[in-house]
Amino acid sequence: MKNIKEIKLAITVICTIVIIYFGLSYLKGINIFKSYSTYNILFNDVTGLEESNPVYVNGFPIGIVRSIDYDYTKSGQITVKIEVDKKMQIPEDSYAEIKQGLIGGTTMMIKLGQGRVLAPGGSFKGSEEIGIMSKAKELMPTVEKMLPKIDSILTSLNNILGDPAINSIISNANTITRNLTLTTDQLNNLMKKDIPVLMAQLNVITKNTGDITSQLKEVDFISTIQNVNNTILEAKQLTASLNEKINSPKGSLGLLLNDNQLYNNLNSTLMSTDALLQDLKAHPKRYVHFSLFGKKSE
């Protein structure tokens, strides 16, 4: 009976050890049923890196950090051993970077090269870049120099914001913004209502202009101009003929205009006629006789 208890106790201890081993392996990200290849990466600084940190290639997890060893014989060189998926092939010219998050957590990123494939157990170099936190440390001296200037800028900004004129400027800006909004709305209404009407009217005008142009194309300008020229020529000929007849002493108009004797005769006749009319008005009985009982004997 005692032997059976001892056997059960031994089995329980063994199972517990196995469960603990698998549990720790799982927590470390190690899959014991999966085969891995190991590689060594040489660093000068591994700030923030710890064992069991994940290893990534292009953002994909391929393994974990197995161990970190300080080499006292090579001026403080640090060797980081990683385990990666056996299917993963790493070229000799690859390099690794340690990335630190802003809120904690450290990972290793492998940048694959293009050279010959490195055999498992081989070594390649780690990058001198230690991630964002290291860059932040490098920037701290520059930031410290900028702090007085930033403080001066903030003081000036506070003084500007405290100026009462700022409120007036902001109020004017709001007014300008409202006016711009109103103008934009009016332009939109103009574009929606008046512009289409104007375009329709322009289309009508364009169509009428096209019709007039088409009609003008059908007009025989050459014949019309020729007719006008003929009319002008005939008018010139008629004018010349009238001038010739007026200036000719043989014609009636020519005689009337050019014969002085005829003029004098006509003038004398008109004067005699005028005198006769004057005498007729003065002595009408000399020329007209009326009798109710017949003509008187002379």
Side-chain angles (χ1 to χ4, degrees):
M1 180 68 68
K2 186 177 180 179
N3 291 334
I4 295 174
K5 290 182 178 180
E6 292 177 353
I7 293 172
K8 289 181 179 179
L9 180 60
I11 293 173
T12 302
V13 171
I14 293 172
C15 289
T16 302
I17 294 173
V18 170
I19 291 172
I20 292 173
Y21 174 76
F22 278 101
L24 292 174
S25 297
Y26 176 78
L27 292 175
K28 291 181 179 181
I30 301 174
N31 187 350
I32 62 174
F33 300 105
K34 191 174 183 179
S35 57
Y36 290 91
S37 297
T38 59
Y39 295 93
N40 297 318
I41 306 174
L42 306 179
F43 282 99
N44 292 325
D45 191 340
V46 291
T47 302
L49 188 66
E50 297 178 357
E51 293 183 2
S52 300
N53 283 154
V55 179
Y56 293 90
V57 171
N58 297 330
F60 183 81
I62 61 168
I64 61 171
V65 175
R66 170 54 64 188
S67 63
I68 302 174
D69 298 318
Y70 188 88
D71 190 350
Y72 295 94
T73 62
K74 294 183 179 181
S75 301
Q77 187 174 15
I78 301 172
T79 301
V80 177
K81 181 177 289 186
I82 62 172
E83 288 184 351
V84 300
D85 192 337
K86 194 171 185 178
K87 297 178 181 179
M88 187 67 202
Q89 295 182 343
I90 301 178
E92 290 180 341
D93 56 345
S94 301
Y95 67 94
E97 287 184 352
I98 298 174
K99 298 291 184 180
Q100 296 179 359
L102 292 175
I103 58 175
T106 305
T107 58
M108 180 182 292
M109 302 292 295
I110 296 178
K111 306 294 183 180
L112 298 178
Q114 302 293 329
R116 189 176 59 181
V117 176
L118 185 66
S123 301
F124 60 96
K125 293 183 178 181
S127 172
E128 296 300 325
E129 295 290 338
I130 308 300
I132 297 175
M133 297 304 296
S134 177
K135 292 179 181 179
K137 291 179 181 178
E138 293 177 359
L139 291 174
M140 285 303 297
T142 304
V143 173
E144 289 177 355
K145 292 179 181 179
M146 292 176 62
L147 285 177
K149 296 181 180 179
I150 294 174
D151 183 65
S152 176
I153 292 171
L154 292 175
T155 302
S156 300
L157 184 59
N158 288 330
N159 293 333
I160 293 172
L161 293 177
D163 192 342
I166 293 297
N167 294 328
S168 176
I169 293 173
I170 294 174
S171 178
N172 293 334
N174 291 331
T175 302
I176 293 171
T177 302
R178 287 194 298 270
N179 292 335
L180 288 175
T181 302
L182 180 61
T183 302
T184 302
D185 294 337
Q186 292 175 349
L187 286 175
N188 289 332
N189 293 331
L190 179 64
M191 294 297 293
K192 292 179 181 178
K193 297 178 180 180
D194 296 340
I195 294 299
V197 175
L198 179 60
M199 291 303 296
Q201 294 176 353
L202 288 176
N203 290 333
V204 173
I205 294 172
T206 303
K207 183 179 182 301
N208 293 336
T209 304
D211 294 339
I212 293 172
T213 304
S214 300
Q215 294 174 2
L216 289 175
K217 287 182 180 179
E218 297 176 358
V219 175
D220 189 356
F221 287 100
I222 297 175
S223 176
T224 303
I225 293 172
Q226 185 65 38
N227 293 334
V228 172
N229 290 333
N230 293 336
T231 303
I232 294 172
L233 180 60
E234 291 176 358
K236 287 182 178 180
Q237 292 175 354
L238 178 60
T239 304
S241 177
L242 289 173
N243 288 333
E244 183 179 356
K245 291 180 179 181
I246 290 172
N247 296 324
S248 175
K250 296 180 180 181
S252 299
L253 291 175
L255 290 173
L256 182 62
L257 296 174
N258 299 318
D259 192 347
N260 293 330
Q261 185 178 359
L262 178 60
Y263 171 76
N264 292 330
N265 291 335
L266 288 174
N267 191 26
S268 176
T269 302
L270 290 173
M271 291 177 66
S272 298
T273 303
D274 183 64
L276 177 62
L277 291 174
Q278 294 293 331
D279 185 64
L280 179 61
K281 289 180 179 180
H283 307 285
K285 292 182 179 181
R286 292 181 181 179
Y287 304 94
V288 180
H289 300 278
F290 295 96
S291 177
L292 296 175
F293 305 100
K295 181 180 181 182
K296 293 176 66 176
S297 61
E298 294 181 359

